[in-house]
C-alpha cells in the first residue's frame, strides 16, 4: 500500500511528532510505502533529517505561508508530486492540507482520509461551513481523535457513517519516569503551542501568581512556539514572574523535559484530545488539566489526574496546591497514569490506521472499526 501524508508544516507540533512516530513503526514493519508532503516553507531541519532516515519519501513544496495568491501555483506543484508518488491513500491532517489536496487531486484515483485533530475546526463563518460541507462530500473516510472531536465536527449522518475514532498514540519507549519531588522549587511544565485563546497559558500564569503570593515555591516551563509568545511574555513581566516562569520555545526532546519536571499542567480552554497528556502519563507525571472536550476522555478526575473547571484560575491554583501538599495523591496519580499510558501505544494506533486504509481501498464501510 502506498500512503502519502500531506501536512501544512513540520515544526514542533503534536501532529508532526505523531507522523515521525508512525514513520518509525512503518520503518520497522515495512507494511507500506510511506511518503510525506509538506506544503509550506515552515519546517525544522532536524525533523526533516530524522524522518529521511526512516525510509520516507519527503517532498518539500516550500510555499511561503500566508499568501493566498500562491494557492493555484502550489496546488499545481502538489498535484505534480501526487502524480509522481502514485498513492493509494492521501492522508490529510488539517484545514490547509485538506483544501490544497482537494484542489490538487481532482480526477486522481487516490482515496482521501482526513484526521480531525481538534474541536472547533470550521466555526468562523459561511466560508468555513462551505469547506466543511465540501470535506464531508469529498473525503472517503474521517478519523476523529476523540468522541468530542467527532461530535463537534458534524451531526451529518453521511459524515458519521464514514468516521471512526482512533486515539492518538505515543512511542512509549521514549519515556522514563519523571523526577520525584525534591527540594523547592517545584517544577511544573506545560507543553503546547503558544496560542492562549485555545491552550490557556495565560490562565496558568495567573494561577502561578496566586501560588507565589501564597508562598508556594513554584517554577514553570512553557514549551512551545506560537502567536501568543509576546502577549504571554508581557503578562509574565507585568506579574513580576520572570524569576520563575520561562518560555523555552519549541523542543525536539519533550520526553526529557517531562522527566525533569514534577507536575504537568494543560490549561486549555478547548482541546480535541491532548497527546501531551498521554506523554505526561507515560512519564508518570501527576497531571492537572481542564475538564473540557477530549481531555475528559483521557483523565478520570482524582484517579489519573486532577481536572479543574475550564477558565477558572482559582480552581486551577487550588488543584495545583492539592498536588503539592498531597504526597500520597501524587504517588497514586502517577501510578494510575503510567498504567493508563500503556493503552496509548503508537503501535496500536498504527495498526488501526492500516485497518482504515485497507477498508477504504476495498470500498468497505469503516463504521465497525471503532
Amino acid at each position: 500500500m502506498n500512503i502519502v501524508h500531506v501536512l501544512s508544516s513540520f515544526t514542533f507540533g503534536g501532529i508532526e511528532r505523531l507522523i515521525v512516530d508512525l514513520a518509525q513503526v512503518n520503518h520497522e514493519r515495512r507494511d507500506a510505502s510511506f511518503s510525506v508532503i509538506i506544503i509550506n516553507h515552515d519546517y525544522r531541519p532536524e525533523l526533516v533529517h530524522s524522518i529521511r532516515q526512516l525510509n520516507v519519501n519527503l517532498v518539500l513544496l516550500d510555499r511561503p505561508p500566508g499568501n493566498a495568491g500562491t494557492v493555484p501555483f502550489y496546488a499545481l506543484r502538489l498535484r505534480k508530486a501526487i502524480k509522481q508518488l502514485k498513492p493509494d491513500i492521501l492522508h490529510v491532517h488539517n484545514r490547509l492540507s485538506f483544501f490544497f489536496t482537494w484542489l490538487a487531486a481532482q480526477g486522481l484515483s487516490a482515496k482521501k482520509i482526513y484526521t480531525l485533530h481538534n474541536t472547533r475546526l470550521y466555526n468562523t463563518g459561511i466560508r468555513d461551513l462551505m469547506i466543511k460541507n465540501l470535506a464531508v462530500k469529498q473525503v472517503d473516510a474521517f478519523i476523529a481523535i476523540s468522541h468530542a472531536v467527532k461530535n463537534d465536527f458534524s451531526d451529518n449522518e453521511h459524515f458519521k457513517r464514514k468516521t471512526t475514532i482512533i486515539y492518538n498514540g505515543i512511542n512509549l519507549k521514549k519515556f522514563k519516569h519523571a523526577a520525584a519531588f525534591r527540594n523547592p522549587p517545584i517544577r511544573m511544565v506545560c507543553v503546547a503551542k503558544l496560542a492562549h485563546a485555545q491552550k490557556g497559558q495565560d490562565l496558568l500564569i495567573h494561577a502561578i501568581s496566586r501560588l507565589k503570593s501564597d508562598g508556594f515555591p513554584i517554577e514553570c516551563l512553557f514549551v512551545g512556539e506560537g502567536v501568543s509568545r509576546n502577549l504571554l511574555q508581557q503578562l509574565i513581566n507585568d506579574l513580576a514572574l520572570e524569576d520563575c516562569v520561562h518560555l523555552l520555545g519549541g523542543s525536539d526532546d519533550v520526553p526529557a523535559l517531562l522527566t525533569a519536571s514534577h507536575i504537568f499542567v494543560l490549561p486549555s480552554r478547548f482541546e480535541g484530545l491532548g497527546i501531551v497528556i498521554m506523554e505526561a502519563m507515560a512519564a508518570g507525571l501527576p497531571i492537572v488539566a481542564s475538564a473540557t472536550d477530549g481531555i475528559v476522555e483521557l483523565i478520570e478526575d482524582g484517579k489519573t489526574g486532577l481536572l479543574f473547571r475550564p477558565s477558572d484560575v482559582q480552581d486551577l491554583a487550588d488543584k495545583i496546591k492539592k498536588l503539592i501538599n498531597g504526597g500520597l495523591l501524587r504517588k497514586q496519580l502517577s501510578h494510575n497514569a503510567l498504567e493508563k499510558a500503556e493503552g496509548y501505544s503508537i503501535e496500536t494506533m498504527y495498526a488501526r490506521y492500516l485497518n482504515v486504509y485497507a477498508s477504504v481501498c476495498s470500498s468497505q464501510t469503516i463504521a465497525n472499526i471503532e
Side-chain angles (χ1 to χ4, degrees):
M1 197 179 300
N2 189 352
I3 312 301
V4 174
H5 292 270
V6 184
L7 308 177
S8 58
S9 63
F10 206 49
T11 54
F12 289 114
I15 296 173
E16 290 90 338
R17 296 204 305 275
L18 199 64
I19 294 299
V20 173
D21 287 343
L22 288 171
Q24 178 68 54
V25 179
N26 190 72
H27 180 66
E28 295 167 359
R29 295 181 42 167
R30 302 189 185 278
D31 290 306
S33 172
F34 197 106
S35 303
V36 175
I37 301 174
I38 302 168
I39 296 171
N40 285 341
H41 185 75
D42 184 19
Y43 47 83
R44 297 286 301 180
E46 306 95 312
L47 281 181
V48 168
H49 176 75
S50 66
I51 202 164
R52 279 181 167 153
Q53 306 308 303
L54 299 174
N55 199 33
V56 170
N57 301 309
L58 182 65
V59 179
L60 306 176
L61 297 184
D62 285 324
R63 171 183 177 262
N67 187 343
T70 65
V71 169
F73 175 75
Y74 284 94
L76 287 173
R77 288 196 64 186
L78 176 58
R79 182 178 180 86
K80 181 179 179 181
I82 292 169
K83 291 177 76 172
Q84 288 176 341
L85 291 170
K86 300 179 181 178
D88 300 300
I89 297 287
L90 285 166
H91 193 153
V92 302
H93 291 269
N94 62 8
R95 291 157 46 116
L96 186 140
S97 62
F98 162 70
F99 184 67
F100 266 85
T101 300
W102 170 72
L103 287 174
Q106 295 293 319
L108 303 183
S109 61
K111 302 291 187 179
K112 294 186 245 347
I113 291 178
Y114 188 170
T115 292
L116 306 171
H117 286 277
N118 210 346
T119 56
R120 310 186 191 185
L121 286 173
Y122 295 94
N123 291 336
T124 60
I126 297 298
R127 181 174 176 272
D128 266 7
L129 181 61
M130 292 173 62
I131 295 175
K132 177 191 285 190
N133 289 336
L134 180 67
V136 169
K137 292 176 182 177
Q138 295 289 323
V139 171
D140 295 284
F142 289 92
I143 296 171
I145 65 169
S146 67
H147 292 274
V149 166
K150 179 180 179 180
N151 295 336
D152 175 82
F153 187 79
S154 178
D155 58 5
N156 181 293
E157 287 302 320
H158 183 53
F159 163 76
K160 290 180 178 179
R161 284 194 299 272
K162 55 183 179 180
T163 303
T164 189
I165 295 169
I166 300 178
Y167 287 117
N168 287 335
I170 58 175
N171 185 345
L172 295 171
K173 301 170 188 173
K174 292 182 179 179
F175 296 90
K176 299 178 182 178
H177 292 191
F181 273 40
R182 301 184 294 269
N183 296 327
I186 295 158
R187 175 179 289 177
M188 297 188 299
V189 63
C190 174
V191 181
K193 64 182 177 181
L194 300 185
H196 74 285
Q198 177 185 354
K199 300 295 184 178
Q201 289 95 342
D202 56 315
L203 303 172
L204 180 52
I205 292 170
H206 281 291
I208 292 167
S209 180
R210 298 186 187 189
L211 290 165
K212 187 177 180 182
S213 297
D214 291 341
F216 286 88
I218 292 289
E219 178 185 21
C220 186
L221 307 179
F222 287 96
V223 182
E225 287 288 0
V227 296
S228 296
R229 183 180 182 91
N230 291 340
L231 181 149
L232 295 173
Q233 186 61 61
Q234 187 61 54
L235 181 59
I236 292 167
N237 297 344
D238 292 345
L239 296 174
L241 297 174
E242 300 95 331
D243 62 328
C244 60
V245 179
H246 308 287
L247 306 180
L248 297 188
S251 173
D252 290 322
D253 199 354
V254 170
L257 287 165
L258 294 175
T259 301
S261 302
H262 307 120
I263 297 173
F264 177 81
V265 184
L266 189 63
S268 302
R269 290 179 166 90
F270 62 96
E271 191 70 54
L273 185 65
I275 194 169
V276 291
I277 290 178
M278 297 175 180
E279 294 175 333
M281 286 179 170
L285 275 174
I287 298 166
V288 178
S290 56
T292 186
D293 298 324
I295 290 176
V296 299
E297 296 181 36
L298 295 179
I299 293 181
E300 184 179 347
D301 191 28
K303 184 175 180 181
T304 52
L306 298 182
L307 297 174
F308 73 94
R309 293 185 295 274
S311 300
D312 189 329
V313 171
Q314 188 57 54
D315 194 34
L316 171 56
D318 289 343
K319 293 298 165 59
I320 294 171
K321 287 181 188 178
K322 188 174 182 179
L323 270 187
I324 293 172
N325 292 329
L328 180 59
L329 175 62
R330 295 196 305 269
K331 186 176 180 180
Q332 290 173 337
L333 293 178
S334 175
H335 173 77
N336 294 339
L338 279 167
E339 283 193 341
K340 186 159 188 178
E342 293 296 323
Y344 298 124
S345 74
I346 191 67
E347 290 81 8
T348 298
M349 178 192 173
Y350 174 87
R352 298 197 71 194
Y353 267 32
L354 287 184
N355 286 342
V356 173
Y357 298 155
S359 296
V360 169
C361 286
S362 63
S363 299
Q364 296 176 5
T365 62
I366 65 169
N368 293 326
I369 294 178
E370 182 181 331

